[in-house]
Amino acid sequence: MTPDLLAALTAARAAKRPVVLATRLPDGAQCLLPDPARPAPLNAAAAQALEEDESGTVKIDGTDWFLHAYTPPLRLIVVGAVHIAQALVPFASEVGFAVTVVDPRRSFASDERFPDVTVRTDWPDEAMDALAPDSRTAVVTLTHDPKLDDPALDRALRSDAFYIGALGSRRTHAARLGRLRALGHDDVTLARIKGPVGLDLEAVTAPEIGLSIAAELVAARRGSPLAPARPAARAA
Amino acid sequence: MSVNPEDVLAQAARWRAEGEQVAIATVTETWGSSPRPAGSQLAVTKSGRMAGSVSGGCIEGAVADAALRTMETGAPQLLDFGVTNERAWEVGLACGGKVKVFVEALA
């Protein structure tokens, strides 16, 4: 790989712009896609690789090309800079999520408690509007405080977030669903919220609960049978 | 931001910036039960540092040898690994999978 190409690829990734590094086999000629100067079939194959987030070798006009899809990291928005969040963040980062922690309570949301992630101290509704969760975003609420959790869940349910989880017992969750119903969400929409959050590991400690949530994020991302049922598409 | 251990390219770029000679091996195709999907990478330096993986550990040694050759000649290589046979010295995948690995120098 030439220094110019490495620089271009690194810049695209830093800008969170999805790109494909195309390598002609076996001679190793390379280019970045999409690029209108390249043949349409090659660009089309690259677009598909990005869509499916899957790298692989394709044959185009008798030539083998390896298409390496570089998609931006999945995002995780954690509402509540609580102890369980401190445990969850490293697990989630390790499995490839770019994590943002949201908590307006500054004593919780300190850089000392969350040294390696983006921390926002605006209110969850404002933070969610700014972060604009999409189909590559997961949202987890951990505060137990309806003032903080509910606005975040309300925004998450109006987004395409691929996973929405809320910490709390079954009883807490039932009460929460009642409040969200009052905000106009129907039962199909509310079924997108996984509560209690996380795979059922009988987790007790904060690290165990963090692990169970991270494990469920992986299951949801990979379409595992352990994942909660896939959320219905957002109502138009 | 913490470093994602899967981001082998970033590690390779850092080593290159430190003045190391670096080659990158990338899984380009898999068949059967290969442990690592296409796009998995192993970075190797001339001084012997390694990051990432292209298999469960079965072929990393052979790929690292190929990487050293590519660093010397500058020529890329497309390597083909199949199932191990009875001969214990043959390099292959005990899992029964097959992989193709592309090896290139980071110029």
Side-chain angles (χ1 to χ4, degrees):
Chain A
M1 195 184 313
T2 63
D4 284 356
L5 197 57
L6 177 63
L9 177 56
T10 304
R13 296 180 72 199
K16 307 212 186 310
R17 188 158 48 82
V19 288
V20 164
L21 174 66
T23 303
R24 192 169 65 199
L25 300 175
D27 72 1
Q30 287 175 322
C31 63
L32 274 193
L33 301 171
D35 178 353
R38 302 286 171 177
L42 195 55
N43 275 304
Q48 191 184 345
L50 289 176
E51 173 71 31
E52 292 170 1
D53 196 4
E54 202 163 294
S55 304
T57 301
V58 296
K59 197 178 274 294
I60 291 168
D61 292 334
T63 303
D64 280 338
W65 287 90
F66 174 63
L67 302 180
H68 199 159
Y70 285 95
T71 50
L74 297 166
R75 291 189 298 162
L76 170 63
I77 301 171
V78 178
V79 177
V82 295
H83 186 198
I84 289 170
Q86 287 178 283
L88 168 60
V89 165
F91 285 128
S93 301
E94 194 75 4
V95 295
F97 284 84
V99 184
T100 302
V101 176
V102 178
D103 200 322
R105 302 167 298 182
R106 284 171 200 274
S107 52
F108 283 91
S110 69
D111 288 340
E112 186 188 17
R113 284 163 57 86
F114 294 91
D116 291 328
V117 295
T118 311
V119 177
R120 298 181 64 115
T121 53
D122 42 358
W123 280 85
D125 47 353
E126 292 162 10
M128 292 288 284
D129 287 345
L131 292 166
D134 58 17
S135 62
R136 292 176 55 78
T137 308
V139 179
V140 172
T141 62
L142 300 176
T143 72
H144 278 129
D145 180 345
K147 283 198 308 297
L148 298 172
D149 281 355
D150 287 6
L153 291 169
D154 174 53
R155 295 302 197 280
L157 290 171
R158 296 177 199 279
S159 80
D160 288 328
F162 76 92
Y163 176 90
I164 304 170
L167 186 74
S169 66
R170 285 183 172 80
R171 203 174 51 186
T172 310
H173 189 58
R176 170 188 295 136
L177 293 181
R179 294 192 305 272
L180 290 167
R181 209 172 277 122
L183 291 176
H185 296 289
D186 62 24
D187 286 349
V188 175
T189 306
L190 291 173
R192 291 175 63 195
I193 305 176
K194 177 63 178 4
V197 67
L199 286 187
D200 185 3
L201 306 180
E202 301 283 350
V204 173
T205 66
E208 287 174 358
I209 296 167
L211 176 64
S212 81
I213 298 171
E216 191 160 82
L217 290 171
V218 173
R221 179 207 177 164
R222 299 297 181 191
S224 155
L226 292 175
R230 272 191 177 269
R234 171 171 49 149
Chain B
M1 219 37 222
S2 59
V3 176
N4 182 342
E6 286 284 291
D7 198 343
V8 176
L9 184 69
Q11 178 64 65
R14 277 192 294 275
W15 283 337
R16 186 73 197 87
E18 289 170 16
E20 288 258 37
Q21 256 192 288
V22 187
I24 299 175
T26 307
V27 175
T28 62
E29 255 184 294
T30 68
W31 295 264
S33 56
S34 355
R36 306 284 289 131
S40 303
Q41 292 187 312
L42 172 72
V44 182
T45 69
K46 189 135 200 179
S47 61
R49 293 153 102 179
M50 294 209 293
S53 67
V54 287
S55 77
C58 331
I59 60 170
E60 268 70 9
V63 171
D65 287 346
L68 288 174
R69 283 199 300 283
T70 285
M71 281 184 256
E72 273 159 26
T73 64
Q77 299 173 68
L78 185 58
L79 311 172
D80 226 324
F81 293 95
V83 189
T84 343
N85 67 11
E86 299 299 313
R87 310 204 309 272
W89 57 85
E90 185 119 344
V91 174
L93 297 163
C95 55
K98 290 202 287 180
V99 294
K100 277 190 184 177
V101 177
F102 181 71
V103 183
E104 65 188 307
L106 200 56

